[in-house]
Amino acid sequence: DLVPTLRREWSTCRIVGELATTIDACLNVIAVFDPRDLASKAIDELEHMIAAAYRPGDGLAHDLDTPDRGRGQLADQLRTASALLSAYVLTWRLPYGMLAEELVQFARRTLWDDDRAAFRATATEHADAFALNCEAVRVLCRLAVLHHDDDYRHVAVVAVGADYRTDAERILIA
């Protein structure tokens, strides 16, 4: 019942993290039921959002209406990485997994607090840092699985020295 509502939001939602969450939700229900065009439409919307919001090395914009302002919010990077990982599992398209890792690496470079062993939300985010770090653990665990997959590592460009399992453990301990 919620899928049509989520799909309607694709055309009106302008906040990257929120849009990524609706796309990810639709990609995840495909295992339960498979509406004829849901997967292709969700992936098309994900690619459209990324084309509008992503800049190599600068992560994702927060608002699709102002893509050059407000870049680099944690929720946008994590939620889009999650949607990309869901798309990768469905399609086995290598660029999805690699871009998910790039977004997490961007967040790691810009938003990781080594003393607290956790990500910090940006000053403009009103989200709960605890909840965002819970989301981060889920994404980090999914990336750790990819890094332990020999087939994936042989064909993908992976971040050298990345230890997503340890990062997830550090967040959970903190």
Side-chain angles (χ1 to χ4, degrees):
D1 292 343
L2 294 175
V3 169
T5 302
L6 292 173
R7 286 182 66 169
R8 279 192 299 278
E9 287 185 24
W10 294 348
S11 61
T12 59
C13 184
R14 307 308 293 163
I15 304 302
V16 170
E18 293 172 11
L19 180 56
T21 298
T22 66
I23 295 167
D24 197 17
C26 288
L27 291 171
N28 281 300
V29 300
I30 290 167
V32 177
F33 70 98
D34 189 9
R36 193 167 53 198
D37 66 344
L38 182 58
S40 62
K41 296 290 185 188
I43 288 171
D44 287 348
E45 188 63 33
L46 178 63
E47 289 181 355
H48 176 73
M49 179 193 71
I50 289 169
Y54 173 69
R55 301 290 178 269
D58 287 335
L60 294 162
H62 175 64
D63 188 330
L64 293 173
D65 291 331
T66 56
D68 293 324
R69 290 191 327 209
R71 303 189 74 75
Q73 292 195 15
L74 182 59
D76 300 324
Q77 314 310 308
L78 293 175
R79 292 171 183 162
T80 302
S82 181
L84 284 161
L85 290 168
S86 296
Y88 173 74
V89 168
L90 283 173
T91 66
W92 299 104
R93 292 181 188 160
L94 198 56
Y96 297 150
M98 291 170 36
L99 182 54
E101 181 168 14
E102 185 174 334
L103 294 176
V104 169
Q105 284 297 311
F106 171 80
R108 183 81 166 69
R109 277 191 318 275
T110 60
L111 299 167
W112 180 258
D113 184 335
D114 207 41
D115 293 334
R116 290 181 47 220
F119 287 100
R120 62 186 177 283
T122 61
T124 57
E125 287 180 288
H126 301 292
D128 178 30
F130 177 82
L132 285 173
N133 275 285
C134 291
E135 289 184 50
V137 168
R138 291 181 60 234
V139 171
L140 291 168
C141 288
R142 293 171 76 185
L143 285 171
V145 169
L146 285 183
H147 269 237
H148 289 343
D149 181 329
D150 289 335
D151 293 333
Y152 181 82
R153 274 197 333 273
H154 285 114
V155 295
V157 177
V158 296
V160 177
D163 188 350
Y164 299 115
R165 182 178 185 273
T166 298
D167 285 345
E169 284 178 353
R170 290 183 68 198
I171 291 170
L172 292 172
I173 289 168

